[in-house]
Amino acid sequence: MVHQNTVSIDWVNKHLEDSSIVIVDCRFQLGAPEAGRTLYDEGHLPGAFHLDLEQDLSSPVGQHGGRHPLPNVDELAVKLGSLGIDGTKHVIAYDEGGIMAARLWWLLNYMGHPGGASIMEGGYRAWGEAGFPTTSAPSTVITSTTFVPQIDTSIVIHIDELRHKLGQPGVLLLDSREAPRYRGEIEPIDPAAGHIPGAKNVFWKEGLDNQGNWRSREEQQARFAAVGAKDADEIIVYCGSGVSACPNVLALREAGYTNVKLYAGSWSDWVSYEDNPIAIGEE
C-alpha cells in the first residue's frame, strides 16, 4: 500500500498495470465547466477515470456554503464505488496545476479512505512532456464495488465553529489566495473583497516549484514557520471556495503538521453572511 501524499510521474508510469491503483483525472477550468471533460476525452493516462469538480466533487451552490460546497458523501461514495474504488484501492489523482487533484486527495482523507490517495506531481503536462503513454479511449471499470465512507470530522470546520474560534489564542488562520485578493485590492469572483480578520496569507502556489512539483519538507516548514505555525495549537486553512486551500493542507501535512482543518466554505461562504467582519490589507 502506498503511504505518500505525492508520487512522481515515473512512479505512476511504473505502476500503470498495478490492480491496486485507480487513477483519476481531475482536470477542470473555472469559467469553462465543460473543459475538463473535453480535455479528458482528447487524452488522458491509460486507465484513468474523470471526476469533475462541480459535478462530482461539490454539491450544488446554495445561499450559503460557498461556491463549491462539499459534496454529498453518500453520492460521492456511490461514484467512487462505480469506478472500482473501495478500501483496498490507492487513488492517484492528477490535473494541470495541483488544485483539483488536491481537492480529491482531501475528500478521500475526509471520507476516511483506508487505501489512501496521492497526487501525481507535475500533472498531465509533465506526463506528456516526458513522453509517457496517453489515450483518448474511455476507461472501463473492471468491477464496480462499494465505497464505505468513514467521515473524519476532525479535519474540517464550518462557519459556526470558525466564528467561535476567531481570534482565540493558539488558533492560526491561513488564507491561501493570491496576496492582492487577500489584501482586498481586487476580487474577481466573490461579492466582497478582503479577508477573514486575523488571517495570515500563504499563497497555495508557493508550495510548488516551477515544474509543478511539491517543494521539500524543509521548504514547506519554512513557508509556514514564517507565519507562526510552530506556535499554533490549531491551523485553519481557507481560500475562495475551499478548493485551492487543499494544496496548502497537503503542504502542511508534508511539513509535519497534524492539527490542520479546512474551512470548507471558505471566503465565498464567509461573505454570504452580511454581519461577518471583513479585514483589508496585511496582518
Side-chain angles (χ1 to χ4, degrees):
M1 191 65 68
V2 186
H3 297 287
Q4 302 158 259
N5 292 318
T6 66
V7 291
S8 69
I9 56 174
D10 294 315
W11 187 96
V12 176
N13 187 49
K14 292 176 182 177
H15 290 81
L16 282 177
E17 303 299 325
D18 189 337
S19 61
S20 68
I21 301 294
V22 177
I23 303 173
V24 180
D25 184 316
C26 300
R27 284 177 290 173
F28 179 87
Q29 292 180 14
L30 288 172
E34 302 299 324
R37 182 68 199 198
T38 298
L39 290 170
Y40 172 82
D41 290 339
E42 291 174 350
H44 53 267
L45 270 65
F49 301 98
H50 184 259
L51 287 176
D52 181 86
L53 172 64
E54 295 184 345
Q55 298 299 316
D56 303 309
L57 306 182
S58 304
S59 290
V61 177
Q63 180 181 1
H64 302 298
R67 286 182 280 106
H68 295 110
L70 293 183
N72 178 285
V73 169
D74 293 331
E75 291 179 3
L76 180 55
V78 171
K79 291 176 182 177
L80 293 171
S82 73
L83 302 183
I85 300 172
D86 60 16
T88 69
K89 305 296 185 182
H90 184 82
V91 177
I92 304 296
Y94 72 87
D95 56 15
E96 289 285 12
I99 298 178
M100 311 308 166
R103 169 75 162 203
L104 178 57
W105 170 87
W106 185 88
L107 283 170
L108 287 166
N109 278 268
Y110 172 63
M111 295 173 75
H113 179 44
S118 302
I119 295 176
M120 185 179 79
E121 299 204 54
Y124 188 73
R125 182 175 302 172
W127 181 270
E129 290 175 350
F132 291 149
T134 62
T135 180
S136 59
S139 299
T140 303
V141 179
I142 298 175
T143 305
S144 61
T145 185
T146 301
F147 184 98
V148 181
Q150 303 173 65
I151 301 303
D152 183 359
T153 58
S154 71
I155 66 171
V156 68
I157 190 170
H158 300 290
I159 184 72
D160 291 336
E161 186 181 1
L162 178 60
R163 283 172 173 155
H164 176 71
K165 291 189 173 182
L166 210 62
Q168 287 188 3
V171 176
L172 175 63
L173 187 59
L174 298 183
D175 187 312
S176 304
R177 299 171 299 164
E178 292 182 82
R181 289 185 70 190
Y182 163 80
R183 293 192 295 262
E185 297 165 4
I186 59 170
E187 181 45 65
I189 305 174
D190 295 310
H195 61 266
I196 301 173
K200 302 294 184 180
N201 184 220
V202 181
F203 184 33
W204 72 268
K205 203 168 186 178
E206 293 170 352
L208 285 74
D209 63 21
N210 293 334
Q211 287 71 48
N213 295 318
W214 295 84
R215 296 189 183 278
S216 69
R217 178 185 179 91
E218 292 73 24
E219 289 174 309
Q220 303 290 14
Q221 289 173 338
R223 291 176 66 219
F224 299 113
V227 293
K230 285 185 177 180
D231 301 320
D233 298 319
E234 183 176 62
I235 302 172
I236 300 171
V237 188
Y238 77 93
C239 57
S241 66
V243 180
S244 63
C246 293
N248 261 349
V249 174
L250 186 147
L252 282 158
R253 182 83 61 86
E254 288 289 282
Y257 293 97
T258 58
N259 55 341
V260 182
K261 292 186 177 183
L262 172 72
Y263 171 27
S266 285
W267 180 247
S268 53
D269 177 54
W270 185 261
V271 298
S272 70
Y273 297 89
E274 293 183 357
D275 57 339
N276 277 346
I278 292 175
I280 302 293
E282 294 283 357
E283 291 203 44

